[in-house]
Amino acid sequence: MQIHPTIAGLRAALAAAPRVAFVPTMGNLHDGHIALMRQAREHADVVVASIFVNRLQFGPNEDFDKYPRTFENDCARLREAGVDHLFAPDEKEMYPTPQRYHVEPDPAHTDILDGAARPGHFRGMATVVLKLLNIVRPQAALFGKKDYQQLMIIRNMVGEFALPIDIVAGETRRADDGLALSSRNGYLSAAERAEAPRLNRQLRRIGERVAAGERDFLRLETEAVAELAAHGWHPDYISIRRRSDLHPPRSGDEALVVLGAARLGATRLIDNLEI
């Protein structure tokens, strides 16, 4: 695997690549990331990963400074997964001057759910993703379904800017007890880690009830929030939405997803389940 700290070096290495698949990450890789790397090989001759902790998508009181940086271990995992190139810029390379131009996604997609809880997050995310796509110039880019709202925004951005890139979704990878794999799971204490699968259990319970014909979505959401709160969680939302735009479902909508976000101790966990 070749490691490139500069844009010019990466572009030179990829100049003759026939078809490129790209997996952007912020590092601290887990099995979900590695599954995306292996999935990427199905879509291209050359697989490129990136590691960059993007300051733009962190709020002023969020965990940018303490976000885990595990570069050497990440490189070992990427080599084992067969990644061909790693783009690993520092902040000066990515932002040689302050980033004054930004992607402003549709507020109808960003001011809801995670965007309501994290103002400005998706603006920073979309800006760096567009920049990375322009740097790497892949034919396919892979993103995990765990960040469902992020995936929707990226798909819409790529479509509206007419970028010649296939956006490929990777299924959420889970621990044996159902907890969605996340770089932030490492923040959990032992007791919190034992409690953490409750979020997924509540989403599965809602999915089963909807599949059985339940249509009082507000009651299902309220019960799930109360169950989490009763066990020490601080829920941001549990919500049933349309998959297409994450707006509340209308009568007859069938392609649905239930999404949840809640804090357990100091750690904010998210998850979703298509129903």
Side-chain angles (χ1 to χ4, degrees):
M1 181 179 73
Q2 298 180 35
I3 300 174
H4 307 280
T6 69
I7 295 169
L10 177 71
R11 283 181 170 168
L14 297 180
R19 182 173 171 84
V20 173
F22 175 46
V23 186
T25 84
M26 293 203 301
N28 194 29
L29 303 181
H30 52 68
D31 287 348
H33 293 114
I34 300 308
L36 286 177
M37 306 297 167
R38 295 195 168 113
Q39 186 178 354
R41 181 63 66 187
E42 301 170 10
H43 296 271
D45 307 286
V46 175
V47 175
V48 178
S50 67
I51 294 176
F52 179 67
V53 184
N54 176 42
R55 187 185 297 272
L56 297 184
Q57 68 195 67
F58 287 79
N61 298 314
E62 293 187 334
D63 58 348
F64 175 80
D65 289 328
K66 69 174 185 177
Y67 193 87
R69 275 78 164 175
T70 55
F71 186 73
E72 294 304 323
N73 184 65
D74 291 344
C75 287
R77 298 207 68 183
L78 293 173
R79 289 189 185 97
E80 184 180 358
V83 170
D84 300 296
H85 299 273
L86 171 62
F87 180 48
D90 60 17
E91 282 197 285
K92 185 176 180 181
E93 181 69 13
M94 281 296 288
Y95 303 123
T97 61
Q99 188 74 23
R100 293 181 293 268
Y101 291 78
H102 299 264
V103 176
E104 295 285 356
D106 185 350
H109 292 158
T110 60
D111 293 353
I112 59 174
L113 303 172
D114 253 32
R118 303 181 67 191
H121 166 71
F122 288 118
R123 177 181 190 256
M125 178 279 296
T127 299
V128 78
V129 168
L130 182 61
K131 192 164 189 174
L132 286 167
L133 293 176
N134 184 51
I135 290 167
V136 180
R137 300 170 184 170
Q139 285 71 51
L142 289 86
F143 298 86
K145 282 187 179 182
K146 184 181 75 69
D147 297 292
Y148 207 91
Q149 190 172 2
Q150 170 180 280
L151 175 62
M152 178 198 68
I153 290 168
I154 290 169
R155 278 176 165 159
N156 288 338
M157 178 182 72
V158 166
E160 292 197 12
F161 281 114
L163 301 181
I165 302 170
D166 296 326
I167 300 300
V168 180
E171 295 296 330
T172 301
R173 293 294 296 266
R174 300 183 180 278
D176 291 342
D177 57 9
L179 178 65
L181 299 185
S182 169
S183 297
R184 288 186 168 91
N185 290 351
Y187 297 157
L188 298 168
S189 69
E192 290 166 348
R193 176 61 186 83
E195 170 64 23
R198 190 179 303 276
L199 176 59
N200 178 249
R201 291 201 299 270
Q202 289 304 303
L203 300 185
R204 286 193 288 110
R205 173 181 169 275
I206 289 174
E208 290 164 0
R209 296 276 292 277
V210 172
E214 175 68 70
R215 285 299 178 267
D216 188 346
F217 294 163
L218 179 58
R219 180 162 69 88
L220 294 175
E221 294 164 355
T222 301
E223 289 175 353
V225 166
E227 172 69 12
L228 291 173
H231 289 84
W233 295 70
H234 298 279
D236 286 334
Y237 60 83
I238 300 287
S239 190
I240 300 168
R241 299 294 178 109
R242 297 198 301 249
R243 296 183 198 177
S244 59
D245 57 12
L246 298 185
H247 287 181
R250 296 187 291 254
S251 177
D253 285 338
E254 294 185 356
L256 304 178
V257 57
V258 56
L259 309 102
R263 292 190 181 276
L264 185 58
T267 306
R268 187 173 186 272
L269 300 178
I270 65 171
D271 202 352
N272 64 78
L273 178 71
E274 292 180 334
I275 55 177

